[in-house]
Amino acid sequence: MFPSRFRYEAPRSLDEAIGLLGDGGDYAKVLAGGQSLVPMMKLRFASPELLVDINNVPGLDYHRADPDGSLRIGALCRHADLEYSGLLKSTQPTMAAAAPLVADPLVRNRGTLVGSLCHADPQGDWTSVLLALGGSVVAAGPRGRRTVPLAEFVSGPFENVLEHDEIAVEAVVPPAAGARAGGYLKLERRVGDFATVGVAVAIETSGADVIRAGIALTGVGGSTIGATEAAAALTGQPLTADGIAEAAGLAAAAAQPRTDHRGTAEYKRNLVRVFVTRILSGSLEPGETAVTPDTVTPDTGTERAA
Ligand SMILES: Cc1cc2nc3c(=O)[nH]c(=O)nc-3n(C[C@H](O)[C@H](O)[C@H](O)COP(=O)(O)OP(=O)(O)OC[C@H]3O[C@@H](n4cnc5c(N)ncnc54)[C@H](O)[C@@H]3O)c2cc1C
């Protein structure tokens, strides 16, 4: 199918882009990587009258660590930039595990992390990862800039809290207070598929204790789910097999899966439990095991359906 007729603008500055969005009102949309918006326009699930392509706006294609340890990811930083990032590999285990699992190489070359957060697909991988990490989005508009925690940024399936004349200019991951550990596991029917189930776990430890934990779930509800009770169960104590089992059970209870062509609700709920256990088992002290060795995958990576 072909999209509806639309006007196309490619501004060369952020101010110009914001001005165009203001003029376009509710009928204007930002175009970043186009990997979600263009298919939706072709299917006529989206019919914007004005497309504001931000790809010519300079200075948005970065990801960098600030001196305080925060990670900033600009609106034109592609999934592929993150997949091959040495900075992520050395400082952000949960993000580094997720980056190669987003879509396929073609999509990763164009699609952006910030665009994924704005798209707010319940099956989007980055929203879970940033939620687990306590991330936020910086929005710029005619009234200035504001920072919105991710838990508030996504207001529902395919919905965010941006005003019509605001652009998400960057995503921010706060600095770690301790040593980071964690991962992302995803069951997909084939390489490049959206998640049947995805689980993001991010913990920070000081000495033996977990001092911060975040767990978020992809594809098992109408929106990305923050498993806050599961994360709280891990915090303030050492990571133990019993603690992991409790957190895994609470995360599975937080999931709201539906039976569909990808699997039964019970199957998906059990996968949440298994994935939380596997990711956290990789963070146990040597000699401790949470589940039997033949079912543990201590490193993170994609889990493919048989
Ligand atoms: C075949 C295929 C497989 C895929 N598989 C996966 C997958 O496994 N996991 C996954 O997470 N994603 C997957 N995706 C989606 C992909 O990751 C997209 O890149 C991503 O969802 C959107 O990023 P984008 O930069 O392409 O945004 P666009 O498509 O350009 O925009 C998406 C939406 O966000 C808005 N938007 C984008 N950037 C901004 C901004 N800076 N400020 C304000 N609004 C903005 C747009 O107006 C639009 O409404 C897949 C896509 C395809 C085509």
Side-chain angles (χ1 to χ4, degrees):
M1 278 185 57
F2 296 103
S4 311
R5 181 177 287 273
F6 60 89
R7 186 178 135 215
Y8 172 84
E9 297 284 352
R12 294 193 170 271
S13 75
L14 192 59
D15 285 348
E16 196 189 338
I18 290 168
L20 282 162
L21 285 175
D23 293 345
D26 288 339
Y27 302 101
K29 269 205 168 292
V30 172
L31 177 77
Q35 299 303 299
S36 294
L37 183 54
V38 171
M40 287 185 66
M41 288 173 66
K42 289 178 79 173
L43 292 166
R44 301 215 177 180
F45 291 144
S47 299
E49 291 177 6
L50 169 63
L51 270 196
V52 179
D53 181 346
I54 59 170
N55 283 277
N56 289 334
V57 175
L60 293 178
D61 59 352
Y62 58 90
H63 70 286
R64 61 163 188 264
D66 276 356
D68 71 353
S70 338
L71 177 71
R72 294 183 177 271
I73 304 126
L76 292 178
C77 175
R78 315 285 169 180
H79 304 312
D81 297 330
L82 300 170
E83 179 182 5
Y84 296 109
S85 165
L87 177 64
L88 251 59
K89 284 191 177 71
S90 58
T91 61
Q92 297 285 348
T94 309
M95 292 183 73
L101 305 183
V102 176
D104 55 49
L106 294 177
V107 174
R108 291 201 291 274
N109 279 337
R110 292 296 303 167
T112 64
L113 177 144
V114 172
S116 292
L117 303 181
C118 292
H119 189 53
D121 186 337
Q123 287 180 297
D125 299 300
W126 284 127
T127 309
S128 295
V129 172
L130 272 281
L131 191 61
L133 284 162
S136 54
V137 173
V138 178
R143 295 158 297 283
R145 291 189 176 219
R146 63 187 177 118
T147 300
V148 187
L150 203 68
E152 294 163 27
F153 182 77
V154 175
S155 48
F158 304 101
E159 283 178 11
N160 64 53
V161 299
L162 289 176
E163 299 290 340
H164 73 273
D165 53 1
E166 284 184 312
I167 295 178
V169 287
E170 65 179 7
V172 184
V173 176
R180 280 194 201 280
Y184 186 72
L185 282 172
K186 171 178 177 178
L187 180 79
E188 51 189 1
R189 293 173 302 175
R190 59 183 179 279
V191 174
D193 193 16
F194 284 94
T196 298
V197 176
V199 171
V201 178
I203 61 171
E204 292 164 32
T205 55
S206 176
D209 286 346
V210 175
I211 54 170
R212 187 196 165 272
I215 300 178
L217 314 177
T218 312
V220 287
S223 278
T224 303
I225 293 173
T228 48
E229 282 185 36
L234 294 170
T235 314
Q237 57 195 313
L239 203 56
T240 62
D242 284 349
I244 291 173
E246 185 189 357
L250 288 167
Q256 300 158 13
R258 296 174 70 161
T259 296
D260 61 14
H261 59 289
R262 292 167 182 263
T264 65
E266 215 33 56
Y267 170 66
K268 294 177 190 177
R269 192 184 296 283
N270 191 48
L271 269 173
V272 170
R273 189 187 60 74
V274 170
F275 281 178
V276 171
T277 305
R278 286 187 180 178
I279 295 169
L280 287 170
S281 298
S283 306
L284 282 174
E285 291 297 310
E288 291 185 298
T289 47
V291 289
T292 54
D294 59 339
T295 60
V296 175
T297 308
D299 55 334
T300 54
T302 188
E303 295 274 331
R304 299 211 167 90

